[in-house]
Each structure stands twice: as structure tokens, then as C-alpha cells.
């Protein structure tokens, strides 16, 4: 698994572990994570706005999960050591706190 950094904030609709996001772990001008950078996540047309329109908080709750758009996004993130489909299923089965615990133990 690539570099990870501790993260205990909100898990966004897409199911990314922010502590493994290249924007979050970079040294220059890192993203503060979905908890603090909620404005960025809430403008995400790909996932957040789609979920909000459907009255759900995470993609796994959608009847169309995993949709074509989600599959393509997930495939692009595999190089960062995260499988978003697996992340969503983990969140569905165990909840966001267990999801964060799981990734934070890999640091």
C-alpha cells in the first residue's frame, strides 16, 4: 500500500480514505481532508451531488451501485492502493469508524 497519513475525519460519498489520497499526503499545500475541506467534496458532481440528489450519503446505498462512472473512477485510484468498490462495501458492512480504523492501522 502506498504512503498513508493518519486521518480521522468524515468519509466522503466516494469512500476514499483521505489519508491515502495523494493530495492529502503531499508536502506542499496538502488538502486538509474531507472533514475540513467539505466545500470541495460537496461540489463533487461525480459523487456527492449525485448522492444528495438520491437522498443517500454514500454510493453503496444507490440501487445502481457500482455504476459505470463509479467503476471508472475506482479503476483510476487503484494505483493509489485503494479499491473504491471494496471501500464502499467495507463501509456498508462495518461503518465509517471501522473503515477509518482499518486504514489507520496500516500506517
Amino acid at each position: 500500500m502506498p504512503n498513508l497519513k493518519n486521518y480521522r475525519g468524515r468519509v466522503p460519498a466516494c469512500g476514499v480514505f483521505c489519508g491515502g489520497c495523494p493530495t492529502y499526503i503531499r508536502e506542499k499545500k496538502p488538502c486538509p481532508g474531507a472533514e475540513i475541506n467539505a466545500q470541495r467534496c460537496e461540489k463533487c458532481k461525480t459523487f456527492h451531488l449525485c448522492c444528495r440528489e438520491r437522498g443517500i450519503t454514500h454510493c453503496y446505498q444507490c440501487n445502481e451501485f457500482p455504476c459505470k462512472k463509479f467503476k471508472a473512477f475506482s479503476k483510476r485510484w487503484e494505483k493509489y492502493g485503494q479499491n473504491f468498490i471494496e471501500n464502499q462495501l467495507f463501509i456498508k458492512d462495518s461503518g465509517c469508524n471501522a473503515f477509518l480504523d482499518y486504514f489507520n492501522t496500516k500506517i
Side-chain angles (χ1 to χ4, degrees):
M1 178 152 299
N3 292 335
L4 294 176
K5 191 173 170 183
N6 188 56
Y7 178 75
R8 289 280 174 195
R10 175 174 74 107
V11 178
C14 62
V16 66
F17 172 67
C18 289
C21 173
T23 308
Y24 183 83
I25 62 175
R26 70 182 176 202
E27 289 192 30
K28 289 187 178 183
K29 296 184 183 179
C31 173
E35 183 75 26
I36 295 169
N37 199 7
Q39 204 171 48
R40 178 180 181 196
C41 289
E42 289 171 9
K43 289 180 184 176
C44 173
K45 293 177 186 170
T46 307
F47 303 109
H48 180 78
L49 295 177
C50 181
C51 284
R52 190 163 61 177
E53 286 172 8
R54 296 167 190 261
I56 58 178
T57 56
H58 289 91
C59 294
Y60 76 82
Q61 298 165 316
C62 181
N63 293 335
E64 297 177 33
F65 175 78
C67 67
K68 184 178 174 182
K69 191 174 7 176
F70 192 90
K71 287 178 187 176
F73 183 77
S74 182
K75 186 153 185 72
R76 289 192 306 269
W77 271 76
E78 287 177 4
K79 64 185 170 198
Y80 302 117
Q82 292 192 56
N83 180 315
F84 282 20
I85 294 172
E86 288 179 10
N87 287 4
Q88 290 284 333
L89 296 174
F90 189 107
I91 294 165
K92 177 182 179 182
D93 292 341
S94 304
C96 289
N97 287 335
F99 174 79
L100 293 171
D101 290 344
Y102 171 76
F103 275 102
N104 280 306
T105 60
K106 293 183 171 286
I107 297 172

